[in-house]
Amino acid sequence: MFKKILLATDGSAPSERATDIAASLALRYQAEILVLHALTRIPGSLGEPNYSRTLSHMLEHARSLVANVESRLREIGVPHVDTDVIEGGAADVILDVVHTRNPDLLVIGARGLSQWKGLMLGSVSMAVTHRAPCPVMVVK
């Protein structure tokens, strides 16, 4: 049923739970997992050397995050794991990857916003759920 699973992660507790569920599904269906992290855009107005330092620090953190998720998935027994870090707004990055990589399922953690904040600000999981052409599993 699922051969390719896209796991969007931000390192939050819901993302960790999403990792466990994606791993379980991958093992059950012998699916590959692509671990994706969207790196927040850094304003160019920071100027140098602040821009380069900030970008370097954020990239290091993002690569460490996806490497930890990959390691965890491999320890669980998922045989095929790829990782990617892409700069941009999280919802847009996730949807771009969905359109280019065509996963059978997108697994993403829910954001723990209150109902009021969720109504006012929206959330990545909500935006992705409404616009993704594939099934989306949102994990609380």
Side-chain angles (χ1 to χ4, degrees), residues 108-119:
I108 186 170
R111 190 165 169 197
L113 291 177
S114 69
Q115 287 184 342
W116 174 250
K117 285 183 182 176
L119 287 172

Side-chain angles (χ1 to χ4, degrees), residues 11 18 22-23 38 42 48-49 55 67 75 96 105-106 110 113-114 118 125 136 138:
I42 303 165
E48 289 299 340
L55 179 60
E75 286 174 10
D96 286 347
L105 176 67
L106 166 62
L113 291 177
S114 69
S125 59
V136 178
V138 180

